[in-house]
mmCIF file of all heavy atoms in Angstrom:
data_model
loop_
_atom_site.group_PDB
_atom_site.id
_atom_site.type_symbol
_atom_site.label_atom_id
_atom_site.label_comp_id
_atom_site.label_asym_id
_atom_site.label_seq_id
_atom_site.Cartn_x
_atom_site.Cartn_y
_atom_site.Cartn_z
ATOM 1 N N GLY M 147 -3.025 -22.806 -9.917
ATOM 2 C CA GLY M 147 -2.330 -22.942 -8.571
ATOM 3 C C GLY M 147 -1.753 -21.617 -8.079
ATOM 4 O O GLY M 147 -1.060 -21.665 -7.067
ATOM 5 N N ALA M 148 -2.007 -20.533 -8.723
ATOM 6 C CA ALA M 148 -1.434 -19.268 -8.292
ATOM 7 C C ALA M 148 -2.196 -18.754 -7.033
ATOM 8 O O ALA M 148 -3.405 -18.895 -6.933
ATOM 9 C CB ALA M 148 -1.603 -18.202 -9.423
ATOM 10 N N LYS M 149 -1.440 -18.121 -6.148
ATOM 11 C CA LYS M 149 -2.033 -17.544 -4.958
ATOM 12 C C LYS M 149 -2.702 -16.210 -5.290
ATOM 13 O O LYS M 149 -2.100 -15.423 -6.023
ATOM 14 C CB LYS M 149 -0.976 -17.347 -3.873
ATOM 15 C CG LYS M 149 -0.527 -18.684 -3.253
ATOM 16 C CD LYS M 149 0.411 -18.431 -2.128
ATOM 17 C CE LYS M 149 0.821 -19.768 -1.551
ATOM 18 N NZ LYS M 149 1.785 -19.608 -0.475
ATOM 19 N N GLN M 150 -3.884 -16.021 -4.783
ATOM 20 C CA GLN M 150 -4.627 -14.821 -5.045
ATOM 21 C C GLN M 150 -4.792 -14.061 -3.716
ATOM 22 O O GLN M 150 -5.078 -14.711 -2.712
ATOM 23 C CB GLN M 150 -6.049 -15.121 -5.578
ATOM 24 C CG GLN M 150 -6.097 -16.178 -6.655
ATOM 25 C CD GLN M 150 -5.620 -15.666 -7.972
ATOM 26 O OE1 GLN M 150 -6.038 -14.556 -8.317
ATOM 27 N NE2 GLN M 150 -4.814 -16.436 -8.665
ATOM 28 N N TYR M 151 -4.660 -12.752 -3.759
ATOM 29 C CA TYR M 151 -4.885 -11.917 -2.566
ATOM 30 C C TYR M 151 -5.878 -10.826 -2.893
ATOM 31 O O TYR M 151 -5.854 -10.251 -4.004
ATOM 32 C CB TYR M 151 -3.559 -11.252 -2.093
ATOM 33 C CG TYR M 151 -2.483 -12.215 -1.711
ATOM 34 C CD1 TYR M 151 -1.483 -12.641 -2.603
ATOM 35 C CD2 TYR M 151 -2.546 -12.847 -0.503
ATOM 36 C CE1 TYR M 151 -0.508 -13.546 -2.246
ATOM 37 C CE2 TYR M 151 -1.555 -13.753 -0.094
ATOM 38 C CZ TYR M 151 -0.575 -14.117 -1.001
ATOM 39 O OH TYR M 151 0.380 -15.019 -0.658
ATOM 40 N N THR M 152 -6.751 -10.554 -2.014
ATOM 41 C CA THR M 152 -7.779 -9.491 -2.235
ATOM 42 C C THR M 152 -7.083 -8.144 -2.285
ATOM 43 O O THR M 152 -6.198 -7.924 -1.524
ATOM 44 C CB THR M 152 -8.888 -9.531 -1.173
ATOM 45 O OG1 THR M 152 -8.291 -9.485 0.100
ATOM 46 C CG2 THR M 152 -9.733 -10.788 -1.334
ATOM 47 N N THR M 153 -7.584 -7.289 -3.112
ATOM 48 C CA THR M 153 -7.048 -5.890 -3.227
ATOM 49 C C THR M 153 -7.548 -5.082 -2.074
ATOM 50 O O THR M 153 -8.613 -5.431 -1.460
ATOM 51 C CB THR M 153 -7.428 -5.301 -4.562
ATOM 52 O OG1 THR M 153 -8.825 -5.170 -4.644
ATOM 53 C CG2 THR M 153 -6.922 -6.040 -5.765
ATOM 54 N N THR M 154 -6.900 -3.948 -1.818
ATOM 55 C CA THR M 154 -7.336 -3.018 -0.864
ATOM 56 C C THR M 154 -8.753 -2.496 -1.131
ATOM 57 O O THR M 154 -9.626 -2.488 -0.267
ATOM 58 C CB THR M 154 -6.354 -1.868 -0.686
ATOM 59 O OG1 THR M 154 -5.085 -2.377 -0.385
ATOM 60 C CG2 THR M 154 -6.803 -0.899 0.343
ATOM 61 N N HIS M 155 -8.984 -2.181 -2.353
ATOM 62 C CA HIS M 155 -10.278 -1.682 -2.857
ATOM 63 C C HIS M 155 -11.364 -2.711 -2.555
ATOM 64 O O HIS M 155 -12.480 -2.430 -2.148
ATOM 65 C CB HIS M 155 -10.244 -1.280 -4.282
ATOM 66 C CG HIS M 155 -11.515 -0.699 -4.811
ATOM 67 N ND1 HIS M 155 -12.017 0.498 -4.384
ATOM 68 C CD2 HIS M 155 -12.390 -1.170 -5.738
ATOM 69 C CE1 HIS M 155 -13.116 0.739 -5.031
ATOM 70 N NE2 HIS M 155 -13.375 -0.270 -5.809
ATOM 71 N N SER M 156 -11.030 -3.935 -2.838
ATOM 72 C CA SER M 156 -11.982 -5.077 -2.622
ATOM 73 C C SER M 156 -12.322 -5.257 -1.157
ATOM 74 O O SER M 156 -13.477 -5.489 -0.813
ATOM 75 C CB SER M 156 -11.319 -6.366 -3.164
ATOM 76 O OG SER M 156 -12.146 -7.483 -2.878
ATOM 77 N N LYS M 157 -11.343 -5.079 -0.309
ATOM 78 C CA LYS M 157 -11.577 -5.200 1.155
ATOM 79 C C LYS M 157 -12.553 -4.141 1.666
ATOM 80 O O LYS M 157 -13.429 -4.359 2.427
ATOM 81 C CB LYS M 157 -10.278 -5.152 1.907
ATOM 82 C CG LYS M 157 -9.367 -6.362 1.692
ATOM 83 C CD LYS M 157 -8.054 -6.107 2.396
ATOM 84 C CE LYS M 157 -7.045 -7.235 2.056
ATOM 85 N NZ LYS M 157 -5.765 -7.023 2.534
#
Side-chain angles (χ1 to χ4, degrees):
K149 290 185 180 179
Q150 314 285 317
Y151 298 100
T152 54
T153 62
T154 301
H155 182 67
S156 173
K157 291 174 188 175

